[in-house]
């Protein structure tokens, strides 16, 4: 299975992208990196992300706007990666998104929020998009 993975964690400097070909080799999952790049955020978008990070308390309007803008930026990076790869497309895209908040109580993660609406990525690429992987980890008892 070939996966195009994208992330911009708490660094908020840009979007890292990689295509990894996964295979089971003797009962062990092995991955081979086929493509990797890092694309800086547009300076205006990066400034808006920074302005919304804690201790700021942005409202839903700002959150929605950032979710869309970051999703569109991720979609452009994914489309560029697919162009660079040529006709041998990945099976799916995994988008971590841009981490903007971790909710921690008594030293344990209770929630996490990543922005970067995956619908924009799916629409731009025509591929299925797996997302909310950090939230899934928290729900399973992890730290996200």
């Amino acid at each position: 299975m070939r996966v195009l993975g994208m992330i911009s964690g708490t660094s908020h400097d840009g979007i890292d992208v990689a295509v990894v070909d996964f295979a089971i080799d003797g009962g062990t999952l092995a991955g081979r990196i086929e493509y990797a790049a890092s694309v800086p955020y547009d300076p205006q978008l990066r400034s808006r992300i920074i302005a919304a990070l804690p201790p700021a308390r942005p409202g839903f309007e700002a959150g929605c706007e950032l979710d869309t803008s970051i999703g569109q930026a991720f979609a452009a990076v994914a489309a560029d990666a697919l162009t660079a790869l040529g006709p041998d497309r990945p099976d799916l895209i995994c988008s971590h998104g841009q981490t903007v908040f971790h909710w921690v109580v008594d030293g344990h993660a209770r929630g996490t929020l990543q922005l970067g609406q995956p619908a924009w990525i799916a629409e731009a690429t025509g591929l299925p998009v797996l997302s909310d992987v950090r939230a899934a980890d928290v729900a399973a008892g992890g730290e996200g």
Side-chain angles (χ1 to χ4, degrees), residues 3 20 28 33 58 62 75-76 88-89 106 127 132 143:
V3 177
V20 180
T28 301
I33 298 173
D88 195 16
R89 295 168 66 85
D106 297 327
L127 291 171
D132 285 336
E143 295 297 315

Side-chain angles (χ1 to χ4, degrees), residues 1-142:
M1 171 176 274
R2 292 178 79 215
V3 177
L4 187 154
M6 296 188 298
I7 184 172
S8 180
T10 54
S11 64
H12 59 268
D13 58 352
I15 302 165
D16 296 323
V17 60
V19 174
V20 180
D21 187 16
F22 290 101
I24 303 229
D25 183 15
T28 301
L29 181 63
R32 182 174 47 87
I33 298 173
E34 297 181 350
Y35 174 88
S38 185
V39 180
Y41 274 129
D42 172 83
Q44 289 179 327
L45 177 56
R46 184 167 191 254
S47 293
R48 289 177 24 229
I49 294 168
I50 292 169
L53 295 175
R57 296 199 172 267
F60 285 120
E61 181 179 350
C64 182
E65 181 184 325
L66 277 174
D67 193 36
T68 296
S69 296
I70 294 168
Q72 291 170 333
F74 271 68
V77 170
D80 287 348
L82 293 178
T83 298
L85 289 169
D88 195 16
R89 295 168 66 85
D91 299 298
L92 68 92
I93 296 173
C94 181
S95 178
H96 178 285
Q98 170 63 58
T99 301
V100 293
F101 189 75
H102 291 298
W103 176 34
V104 179
V105 177
D106 297 327
H108 298 287
R110 299 290 186 223
T112 183
L113 181 62
Q114 282 68 231
L115 299 182
Q117 181 49 246
W120 290 100
I121 302 165
E123 185 65 28
T125 64
L127 291 171
V129 179
L130 173 67
S131 62
D132 285 336
V133 292
R134 277 194 133 170
D137 183 61
V138 170

